[in-house]
Every structure is written in C-alpha cells, then in structure tokens.
Amino acid sequence: MYARRRRRYFLMMGGCIVLFVSAWAFVRLWSVPVAVGMCVVAMVIPPVAAMVANRRGPEDRWWDDPSGDPKSDEWWDELDGKKRRQ
C-alpha cells in the first residue's frame, strides 16, 4: 500500500517537474500564455500529490481504531498511554 502511494506521489511530482521545465524550455517560444497555464497546472499538482501520498487506505491502522487483535490493541493502548476498560 505504501509503495503504491509513493509511486503515485513520485509520478505526480515528476509530471509537475516535466510541465514546469518544458513550459519554460520550449513552450514559451511558441506561446507564453500556454507556458504560464502549464505552470499554473504544475503549481496545483504538489498539494494534490501530498494528499494522495498521505491518504489513509482501507487497510491502514488508524490510531484509535481497534484492530480486532486483543493483544495488539493492548500493546497499542499501552504505547498511547490509554487505560483499557474491561
């Protein structure tokens, strides 16, 4: 799950760099407004990439969700400083 999110993040950030570099390397020679538009699109990609990379998957353990394994839950509660009610 983490590898898939990391791969998506790096693909999006790579696309951002390609857009930015190509906009000012050769697209500006053809059309400056298109180059500026490409930079605006490239500007939006990093926050979206960060949201994609930090999105919680359905199989991820959230800090307050019990996993169903009593021993594991007890261990996590001890780490978090919680007292379990029984």
Side-chain angles (χ1 to χ4, degrees):
M1 72 187 134
Y2 295 117
R4 184 179 312 134
R5 288 190 296 193
R6 191 178 315 129
R7 190 175 313 118
R8 285 181 189 162
Y9 175 79
F10 284 119
L11 281 173
M12 291 178 81
M13 292 305 288
C16 175
I17 291 171
V18 166
L19 278 172
F20 186 74
V21 170
S22 65
W24 296 112
F26 60 88
V27 174
R28 71 175 169 88
L29 301 173
W30 172 61
S31 172
V32 172
V34 171
V36 171
M38 288 172 69
C39 285
V40 169
V41 170
M43 179 182 70
V44 173
I45 292 174
V48 174
M51 286 186 269
V52 166
N54 291 314
R55 186 178 60 89
R56 175 185 168 216
E59 65 275 354
D60 291 345
R61 175 177 165 78
W62 202 241
W63 67 82
D64 57 353
D65 286 347
S67 68
D69 179 20
K71 203 138 179 94
S72 175
D73 291 337
E74 183 179 331
W75 185 77
W76 279 106
D77 288 342
E78 181 182 335
L79 281 178
D80 293 337
K82 293 182 185 176
K83 298 284 186 199
R84 291 196 88 183
R85 294 182 186 172
Q86 293 185 359

